[in-house]
Amino acid sequence: MKQRIFGKTGRSVSEIGLGTWQLGTKWGDPFNKEEAFKILETAEAAGITFIDTADVYNGGKSEETIGEYVAAHPGKFYITTKCGRRLNPHTADMYTPEAIAGFIDDSLRRMKLEKLDLILLHCPPTSVFARDDIFGELEKQKTLGKIADYGVSVEKVSEGIQAMEYGIAAMEVIFNMFRLKPLDELFPLAAKNRVGVIARVPLASGILTGRYTLDTVFGPQDHRSYNREGAAFDKGETFSGVPYELGLDAAEELKKVFGTDQLAPVAIRWVLMHPAVSVVIPGASRTSQVMDNVKAAELPLLTDAQMQAVQHIYDQYLRSIIHPQW
């Protein structure tokens, strides 16, 4: 597994990490701690050193399980967690310095850590990205020694640009073959400011695996069933905001470009072709998916023609929908 320097943190992390939204479970299914441990073991054996989690994943069980695993395997992982989505209602007014301090203490307790490697604001309302009091509290928590660094997870490119005015160490942004807008302005600014970039949703909620069809059925508690139009949270989190049928058409075109029905490794390799990206974090609900994801590290560099073909497919199918929204 190749390593990349994680922005101004100076830390070296595996270029492929592990996202844990669905750690040990499919979206909407009961949490399986045994499977979660197997996934973490497989990730470690594969050379993954970067884990991304959040306090809301599996109702806190993802953090608790990661903490238990890390306690038995100290020094193996760089752990990023996120906070804010527990606020109810999830509005800008609910974001207070006291709430942020409480979230940090709660994550420390759940993972049984003395210091968090990195904490990110978890896609808050846009106005929060211009709040001096919130970023001031994060800086205070760093001074207190409870966090090593802080940053943001964003829905929109404009939010990431705003947050960089506060000297953040890292940002998490949706970036995949269906989401090219970060290339225009966000990534050049991140590189200039030495901000680590975590590329999330690299497989567009699975549609970029190439396995889905019009007949694919998702469970009723799976966000791919109920959030396609943003009923629960930003619709960009589900299939990267791409209408499902259109996404299937674009995926079929990508299969022709790369001569394979197994798009997942290619899609992750494509993300890694961009030097501004520090780490890409595909998720896994079972161990076989971890191994499928890390295969991307073994693929040769994509050719200029292949990269141009991805750009063309995006321009033809998706740009008019995606670029104006995020």
Side-chain angles (χ1 to χ4, degrees):
M1 179 69 68
K2 293 181 180 179
Q3 306 288 303
R4 297 191 182 195
I5 298 299
F6 191 40
K8 66 181 68 172
T9 73
R11 296 284 294 272
S12 179
V13 299
S14 58
E15 63 180 6
I16 298 174
L18 176 67
T20 64
W21 186 0
Q22 69 270 48
L23 179 68
T25 178
K26 293 182 179 179
W27 282 307
D29 288 353
F31 179 71
N32 185 325
K33 184 176 179 180
E34 181 180 356
E35 186 65 25
F37 261 83
K38 289 179 181 178
I39 288 170
L40 292 169
E41 290 171 351
T42 302
E44 181 184 348
I48 289 174
T49 64
F50 188 99
I51 294 178
D52 173 86
T53 189
D55 55 7
V56 292
Y57 290 170
N58 294 306
K61 291 184 176 66
S62 285
E63 280 192 338
E64 291 173 357
T65 304
I66 290 165
E68 186 175 342
Y69 187 87
V70 168
H73 303 79
K76 300 293 185 178
F77 295 109
Y78 181 98
I79 302 170
T80 294
T81 194
K82 301 185 288 295
C83 70
R85 302 300 297 197
R86 288 166 57 202
L87 293 169
N88 187 17
H90 186 243
T91 61
D93 290 345
M94 294 291 285
Y95 276 81
T96 64
E98 294 76 18
I100 297 300
F103 290 147
I104 289 171
D105 286 342
D106 289 345
S107 288
L108 287 168
R109 174 181 52 79
R110 275 190 292 271
M111 291 192 281
K112 296 181 173 60
L113 297 172
E114 294 183 359
K115 178 186 283 190
L116 301 178
D117 291 325
L118 177 69
I119 192 161
L120 308 176
L121 299 179
H122 196 175
C123 298
T126 298
S127 63
V128 174
F129 292 97
R131 291 267 300 275
D132 292 352
D133 60 335
I134 297 303
F135 287 97
E137 180 62 31
L138 289 168
E139 186 63 34
K140 176 184 174 182
Q141 293 290 315
K142 182 176 179 178
T143 301
L144 291 172
K146 293 186 177 183
I147 60 176
D149 288 293
Y150 59 86
V152 296
S153 182
V154 303
E155 299 288 3
K156 301 175 182 178
V157 162
S158 60
E159 295 168 343
I161 293 172
Q162 170 68 53
M164 278 191 279
E165 295 184 11
Y166 288 97
I168 59 172
M171 74 170 66
E172 195 169 286
V173 61
I174 295 176
F175 181 60
N176 57 48
M177 289 175 167
F178 289 172
R179 277 285 195 105
L180 272 59
K181 189 174 180 178
L183 292 170
D184 294 349
E185 187 176 1
L186 187 66
F187 282 6
L189 279 174
K192 180 180 178 180
N193 290 285
R194 298 177 56 235
V195 172
V197 172
I198 306 164
R200 65 188 183 95
V201 198
L203 301 178
S205 306
I207 203 167
L208 279 171
T209 65
R211 298 197 305 266
Y212 297 167
T213 70
L214 289 174
D215 297 324
T216 301
V217 176
F218 302 101
Q221 300 304 313
D222 189 323
H223 71 99
R224 294 172 294 185
S225 291
Y226 65 77
N227 195 60
R228 296 188 186 188
E229 298 302 323
F233 41 82
D234 192 291
K235 69 179 182 179
E237 299 285 348
T238 303
F239 302 128
S240 295
V242 175
Y244 184 65
E245 293 78 5
L246 183 63
L248 292 178
D249 290 342
E252 287 302 313
E253 292 301 311
L254 289 168
K255 289 179 184 180
K256 296 175 185 176
V257 169
F258 294 100
T260 180
D261 290 335
Q262 306 299 316
L263 282 180
V266 173
I268 296 171
R269 174 75 265 176
W270 179 88
V271 172
L272 293 173
M273 291 294 293
H274 301 278
V277 172
S278 307
V279 56
V280 57
I281 51 167
S285 59
R286 56 184 183 272
T287 56
S288 61
Q289 291 175 336
V290 177
M291 299 312 299
D292 286 343
N293 293 338
V294 299
K295 287 178 182 177
E298 304 169 3
L299 294 182
L301 298 179
L302 303 186
T303 66
D304 289 344
Q306 288 171 329
M307 297 296 288
Q308 291 167 8
V310 173
Q311 178 74 57
H312 175 72
I313 291 169
Y314 176 78
D315 290 343
Q316 180 180 0
Y317 285 85
L318 308 172
R319 174 180 285 270
S320 63
I321 297 173
I322 298 300
H323 249 64
Q325 294 192 70
W326 294 282

